[in-house]
Amino acid sequence: MNIRKVGTLLGSKKIIVGGVVCLILLAGLFHYRSESSFVDSGGVVTYSTENPDEKKPTDNFQWKGGVEDPKKIIISSIGVDAFIQKVGVDQNKEVAVPSNVHMVGWFVDTVRPGQKGLSLIDGHVSGRKNDGVFKDLEKLNEGDQFLVQLGNDSEVKYRVIGKRSAPVADSVSIMFSQNPKVSSQLNLVTCSGRYDEKTRSYDERLTVMAERI
């Protein structure tokens, strides 16, 4: 996967982040890996596939996580009702992308949604044949509300407090920024801007910032 690497500081830990939510279309062959090889023993996605699954999870989907882990995100205003995967650092020492275009990824090096601090959830904007889960994320506006359901079926409610799209090189500091006046913040991230056929990537990242209410 042709991903541009950029660095950031999250707390005291340096993390390499790049193209965390973009499905990059490749013209050539890809190396096939089974679904089970995407995740480590803790159920965290640690391999960024170049060919994410485009089948929607069924009602029989077996979500894996703890009682305090984020299970689903529900953004009714843009038609999002999606399961949440855990994502970590992948084979390229970048934040792993979700293995399914209809699912989002909670970056496990940020706090769990609902807890004090900053949480980060990313999602694909598009796939090879289908729209991604965050295809309409840009339609969210300040004041819009959404829910994150935890593993124990409790819900955490959020309100959008802002959004910003920026070039890839400038986006990392935005993605990992927390409003000092907000004790529990969740940033939603996806690709935006113009798709470049040469680099096979989008030139911007959209970050939607939300506070727990």
Side-chain angles (χ1 to χ4, degrees):
M1 185 174 290
N2 181 17
I3 299 176
R4 181 183 301 175
K5 295 182 179 179
V6 290
T8 187
L9 279 175
L10 181 60
S12 61
K13 184 176 181 180
K14 186 174 183 182
I15 300 171
I16 301 300
V17 182
V20 297
V21 292
C22 297
L23 170 63
I24 298 181
L25 306 181
L26 298 183
L29 298 176
F30 58 85
H31 178 61
Y32 176 78
R33 292 172 65 96
S34 66
E35 180 71 20
S36 62
S37 67
F38 294 158
V39 300
D40 65 15
S41 58
V44 180
V45 176
T46 57
Y47 184 91
S48 291
T49 175
E50 296 164 356
N51 189 46
D53 192 357
E54 297 198 25
K55 295 179 181 178
K56 280 192 174 183
T58 66
D59 292 338
N60 296 323
F61 177 76
Q62 297 296 311
W63 176 82
K64 296 179 180 180
V67 295
E68 294 184 338
D69 290 337
K71 180 179 181 180
K72 296 190 78 176
I73 185 168
I74 302 168
I75 314 176
S76 299
S77 62
I78 58 172
V80 171
D81 186 343
F83 282 103
I84 300 174
Q85 291 181 310
K86 298 176 185 177
V87 297
V89 178
D90 69 6
Q91 73 276 15
N92 301 311
K93 300 188 183 303
E94 301 160 350
V95 175
V97 299
S99 63
N100 187 302
V101 299
H102 302 291
M103 299 175 71
V104 300
W106 162 56
F107 184 40
V108 296
D109 282 354
T110 61
V111 304
R112 290 176 173 83
Q115 297 183 355
K116 185 176 180 179
L118 177 67
S119 305
L120 178 69
I121 287 179
D122 60 71
H124 294 278
V125 71
S126 64
R128 294 169 67 97
K129 298 179 180 179
N130 299 296
D131 291 327
V133 62
F134 277 168
K135 70 181 181 67
D136 291 326
L137 192 66
E138 64 179 359
K139 295 181 180 180
L140 287 181
N141 294 304
E142 188 171 339
D144 289 345
Q145 298 184 12
F146 63 91
L147 301 172
V148 172
Q149 184 185 76
L150 305 183
N152 60 8
D153 291 331
S154 64
E155 294 178 340
V156 182
K157 183 178 288 188
Y158 286 93
R159 176 174 54 229
V160 176
I161 58 175
K163 64 180 179 181
R164 184 176 175 186
S165 187
V168 173
D170 302 324
S171 63
V172 177
S173 60
I174 300 170
M175 291 160 49
F176 286 97
S177 292
Q178 181 179 1
N179 187 322
K181 297 181 180 180
V182 176
S183 63
S184 180
Q185 181 170 325
L186 172 58
N187 288 351
L188 308 177
V189 183
T190 195
C191 292
S192 60
R194 184 175 56 185
Y195 182 77
D196 188 329
E197 293 289 346
K198 292 182 179 180
T199 63
R200 298 186 177 93
S201 64
Y202 289 88
D203 62 358
E204 295 187 0
R205 302 291 180 266
L206 171 68
T207 301
V208 173
M209 293 79 74
E211 63 178 350
R212 182 179 182 180
I213 56 175

